[in-house]
Amino acid sequence: MRKPKLVISTGAGVSAESGISTFRDAGGLWDNYPVMQVASHDGYVANPALIHRFYNERRHQLLEAAPNAAHLALAALEKDFDVYVITQNVDDLHERAGSSKVLHLHGELMKVEATDNPDLVFNLPDDNGGDIDTDVDTVIKGHHVRPHIVFFQEAVPNFEPATELAREADIFVVIGTSLVVYPAAALIQYVRPGVPIYYIDPNPAQVPAQVHVIKEPATKGVVVLAEELEKYKSQTNK
């Protein structure tokens, strides 16, 4: 029997409870760093050394973090559902929690790409002599590298695969996002009419009336979601 396809779109809120600093919230990273300096193509061109330092700091922060109850609960849903996670987050907490199908929209913190060929992607620390830090002089397999991050002013290459997942969803869930970051915020528009949509966030944005809003942080909201999915299973199995 085919498992229902559960597509989950996650934002910074799902990792915030693991201690990963968000960008937009009060006290977030953008209070300390001007966004266009550290997260834009122009910023990278203007000061690549700053970009390397900034993302080195983010990697060290990530190593101190662990998946939280929300990450673990989403991974556990694979028992009953065909789960695909589309994440705006650049951390690897979904993978470390056990989610097997994760699509990163905005890149991955523990990877770097060749400056002369963005399709050449290397894993840190394995491909860098065991080091997670990089700088403008770092060369891996003959290539200078930059963070494998989709900066502002750059295309989002995984957006089209993400829209396909949204179209194929039997259930669509949004967790921990302000729904203001595009194109990721537009994914909800690709969900087929009649497909159940759930939105978990303690400060939810305005959404269409048919969306089921769970006004909770991620760790509490996924508990409510699991209860709703149990109802879905019982109804579809009748």
Side-chain angles (χ1 to χ4, degrees), residues 141-165:
K141 298 182 180 180
H143 299 270
H144 283 89
V145 297
R146 53 160 269 184
H148 183 51
I149 301 294
V150 178
F151 295 136
F152 287 111
Q153 304 167 323
E154 295 179 339
V156 181
N158 277 339
F159 182 66
E160 188 170 339
T163 64
E164 288 302 310
L165 289 174

Side-chain angles (χ1 to χ4, degrees), residues 176-199:
T177 172
S178 57
L179 291 176
V180 298
V181 179
Y182 282 84
L187 286 175
I188 200 169
Q189 300 171 16
Y190 291 85
V191 179
R192 289 172 290 124
V195 167
I197 301 175
Y198 297 90
Y199 176 30

Side-chain angles (χ1 to χ4, degrees), residues 23 29-40 43 50-51 54:
F23 280 94
L29 293 172
W30 289 351
D31 284 352
N32 301 317
Y33 294 90
V35 57
M36 297 308 282
Q37 284 187 12
V38 296
S40 74
L50 173 62
I51 296 287
F54 179 80

